[in-house]
Amino acid sequence: MNKNYYAILMAGGVGSRFWPVSTSSYPKQFHDMLGSGKTLIQKTFDRLNTFIPTENILILTNERYNDLVLEQLPMVKQDQVVLEPAMRNTSPCILYASLKVQKMNSNAVMVVAPSDHWIEDENAFQEDVKACFDKCQNESVLCTLGIRPTFPNTGFGYIEFEKESDESIKKVSQFREKPNYETAKQFLEQGNFLWNAGIFIWSAETIVNAFKEYQPSQYELFQEGFSCYNTPEESNFIQENYAKAENISIDYAILEQSQSIYTLPATFDWNDLGTWGALYDKLGKDNDKNAVVNANTLLVDAKGNMIRTPKGKLVVVDGLEDYIIVDKEEVLLIYPKSKEQDIKKVRGQVSDTFGEHYA
């Protein structure tokens, strides 16, 4: 394995659209959402660990999930778990982790990847990341993996790349916000738009320099602790200073400002597993298009449902079509698939009415 390869695994989100399985105390990345025998974070770690040394993979997460990370990834040491003491979006935590990596290895190139995505062709993923690693080792550029859109999705941001490029890794023209349906259709027709999957590749030096140029105050805040990083003094510095960082995404902070952004149209199948419907799309179905995880089922006149229970639970369904049916200890959710985007709102209502314990 190349000792200059590093990964930052983003594992701090709550995954609120996967409620009631995903809760603020036990988010979706720590669950076996696919019924595969491994949780999403375990599958993502394994995917990266095929070409990135174990000790070079950092897990970026909220303080409250530290024990979950160490429990599910026993090969990881405590100093590989980068803890956020406050919620400040993706920019501060990526800068913090990048400075840690830079101090470990000034020649490092890294991939920043969410811990809860589904990728089937892991060899293709590895080849795509390595192609970007090569570019980032030789040039001061920032790369992202873009996903070829299969339909006019309004739930993703888009990456527009320069059409005339013959190179496999394309120069990015601009990042586009989540579009309405008509705009998304136009993006697909133009042929030079990709879904923004939030998978980034760059060298430690290039990303730190980008922060220095485009986010000088944030850079100065975290650079001040450079001598503390990867030492026992790091925790005190971060506890004292992290919350001072601006709440801003890496997209706004760096990607939309830099003139040196490139994208590689991914060669692998991808799903962000952001909703029950997205999970349903990736699961095997019975003849009536029901997707079942863990449950034993007796289904009568039931079609197109997403059913998930604790392992081995018997579920009888008669006369339901296109519903999400999720049973988890103290909560049972029976909800139309067509309204899945509202589950985040429902989770908030449950929390307000019955207490955070359920959310």
Side-chain angles (χ1 to χ4, degrees):
M1 287 190 192
N2 190 320
K3 68 180 191 310
N4 291 333
Y5 287 180
Y6 284 74
I8 297 174
L9 199 51
M10 309 281 282
V14 174
S16 51
R17 288 183 179 85
F18 268 114
W19 185 83
V21 168
S22 183
T23 63
S24 55
S25 60
Y26 209 111
K28 69 169 178 173
Q29 58 267 30
F30 301 109
H31 288 278
D32 176 9
M33 299 301 299
L34 295 153
S36 67
K38 287 192 172 182
T39 65
L40 294 176
I41 194 171
Q42 288 171 333
K43 288 179 75 70
T44 305
F45 188 95
D46 290 351
R47 183 185 311 129
L48 293 165
N49 203 197
T50 58
F51 63 105
I52 296 174
T54 302
E55 64 276 14
N56 289 3
I57 302 176
L58 303 185
I59 317 299
L60 201 47
T61 193
N62 191 276
E63 281 183 334
R64 67 191 303 188
Y65 307 137
N66 183 59
D67 291 347
L68 279 172
V69 169
L70 294 173
E71 178 188 314
Q72 296 203 358
L73 302 174
M75 70 294 287
V76 162
K77 295 176 181 167
Q78 179 65 68
D79 60 10
Q80 290 172 252
V81 187
V82 183
L83 299 174
E84 303 166 74
M87 302 289 271
R88 286 294 181 273
N89 216 314
T90 53
S91 173
C93 59
I94 287 174
L95 172 58
Y96 168 32
S98 299
L99 285 165
K100 281 174 64 68
V101 169
Q102 187 183 39
K103 191 175 180 188
M104 290 177 210
N105 182 348
S106 60
N107 296 315
V109 287
M110 68 183 88
V111 55
V112 180
S115 61
D116 53 4
H117 289 182
W118 176 93
I119 292 171
E120 187 163 320
D121 189 341
E122 302 199 341
N123 289 329
F125 170 80
Q126 181 180 150
E127 292 309 309
D128 285 354
V129 173
K130 282 183 172 179
C132 291
F133 274 166
D134 289 346
K135 188 172 181 70
C136 292
Q137 279 179 320
N138 296 314
E139 303 173 46
S140 296
V141 298
L142 307 172
C143 289
T144 178
L145 294 183
I147 309 300
R148 297 181 191 277
T150 51
F151 67 99
N153 195 315
T154 59
F156 299 140
Y158 283 71
I159 303 165
E160 181 181 353
F161 62 84
E162 293 182 357
K163 253 183 176 173
E164 56 276 9
S165 171
D166 294 327
E167 301 294 320
S168 56
I169 302 179
K170 318 285 190 183
K171 183 87 163 60
V172 172
S173 302
Q174 60 180 321
F175 289 85
R176 304 289 287 266
E177 298 292 325
K178 294 175 184 176
N180 60 33
Y181 184 72
E182 288 305 316
T183 306
K185 281 205 302 187
Q186 290 170 18
F187 287 173
L188 265 66
E189 287 164 9
Q190 288 179 54
N192 61 323
F193 284 81
L194 305 168
W195 289 337
N196 186 356
I199 302 172
F200 310 115
I201 300 105
W202 40 55
S203 71
E205 181 182 14
T206 300
I207 188 62
V208 169
N209 285 341
F211 272 99
K212 191 174 182 178
E213 181 174 356
Y214 300 114
Q215 297 293 325
S217 59
Q218 199 163 91
Y219 167 80
E220 286 164 17
L221 175 68
F222 285 95
Q223 178 65 27
E224 199 177 313
F226 194 77
S227 61
C228 302
Y229 296 150
N230 311 326
T231 76
E233 282 75 52
E234 178 181 330
S235 178
N236 285 340
F237 174 82
I238 289 299
Q239 287 289 342
E240 192 177 321
N241 291 284
Y242 195 89
K244 298 174 188 173
E246 184 184 355
N247 188 336
I248 185 172
S249 73
I250 191 71
D251 301 70
Y252 285 125
I254 303 296
L255 300 179
E256 293 189 7
Q257 300 195 61
S258 172
Q259 301 304 305
S260 304
I261 308 279
Y262 287 79
T263 188
L264 176 61
T267 60
F268 51 85
D269 286 336
W270 170 90
N271 191 303
D272 76 331
L273 293 183
T275 63
W276 286 110
L279 178 63
Y280 170 86
D281 289 342
K282 287 301 165 195
L283 292 169
K285 321 281 193 303
D286 65 15
N287 291 336
D288 290 314
K289 298 188 175 176
N290 297 295
V292 179
V293 178
N294 295 336
N296 296 315
T297 56
L298 180 62
L299 305 177
V300 180
D301 194 23
K303 298 172 184 174
N305 298 299
M306 171 72 236
I307 302 169
R308 190 188 193 278
T309 70
K311 206 168 268 299
K313 189 152 196 174
L314 176 62
V315 178
V316 180
V317 179
D318 189 338
L320 272 188
E321 186 170 343
D322 294 332
Y323 266 73
I324 299 162
I325 303 165
V326 180
D327 185 29
K328 180 180 177 275
E329 295 145 8
E330 298 170 296
V331 179
L332 172 64
L333 176 75
I334 303 170
Y335 208 75
K337 265 192 345 203
S338 61
K339 295 173 66 178
E340 65 171 9
Q341 294 293 340
D342 293 340
I343 289 176
K344 183 176 183 177
K345 200 189 310 177
V346 170
R347 173 182 168 268
Q349 292 169 339
V350 167
S351 178
D352 293 344
T353 307
F354 299 102
E356 284 185 28
H357 167 73
Y358 294 98

